[in-house]
Amino acid sequence: MSDLIKKKNPLLNRTSTQEPKEVFNRDKASLFSEKTVQSKEKIKSTSSIRVSKNTRISLNALKVVEDFDSVEDTINILLTEYINSLTPEKKKEVKYLIDIGSRRK
């Protein structure tokens, strides 16, 4: 038993300590840096919608004919125009449901 205590394991020999790349400084640290705020604003969550091929072809055709940037712009314009054509009661109901849907995120 005394032999086990006297022998040193060569794997545990420490040669040098490693220095950190950056040292923490309270003066420079902040909870909300500009980089994190900007990146959160740029990121928008996306989702996919399953539509038939005919609908996809029609949306792409409208995008090309009207020179929209994307299919998303086409859909947004179509939805806006359709919502504006609704009666005031239905507009209010749609806006209420959109508000509820955006809170679930």
Side-chain angles (χ1 to χ4, degrees):
M1 176 106 171
S2 63
D3 292 338
L4 293 175
I5 295 174
K6 291 179 185 176
K7 291 182 182 178
K8 290 189 175 182
N9 189 347
L11 296 177
L12 295 178
N13 290 340
R14 309 238 185 244
T15 56
S16 66
T17 60
Q18 292 195 358
E19 297 295 321
K21 292 180 181 176
E22 293 183 31
V23 179
F24 178 76
N25 186 353
R26 287 190 185 266
D27 296 331
K28 294 181 181 177
S30 68
L31 292 176
F32 300 104
S33 65
E34 290 181 23
K35 291 180 181 178
T36 57
V37 172
Q38 289 175 354
S39 64
K40 287 183 181 179
E41 290 175 358
K42 291 180 183 177
I43 299 173
K44 291 183 179 181
S45 65
T46 61
S47 65
S48 60
I49 301 172
R50 296 183 68 92
V51 295
S52 67
K53 283 187 178 182
N54 289 337
T55 304
R56 182 178 59 85
I57 292 168
S58 298
L59 284 170
N60 283 327
L62 275 172
K63 178 183 101 43
V64 170
V65 168
E66 293 297 326
D67 197 30
F68 294 131
D69 292 334
S70 66
V71 174
E72 182 180 2
D73 291 342
T74 308
I75 293 172
N76 285 334
I77 291 170
L78 291 171
L79 286 172
T80 304
E81 291 299 318
Y82 184 77
I83 291 171
N84 288 338
S85 70
L86 294 174
T87 62
E89 296 86 28
K90 291 209 179 209
K91 277 187 194 178
K92 187 175 181 181
E93 186 177 354
V94 168
K95 289 182 181 184
Y96 178 72
L97 291 172
I98 290 171
D99 187 40
I100 289 173
S102 64
R103 288 183 189 175
R104 290 184 183 173
K105 296 178 183 178

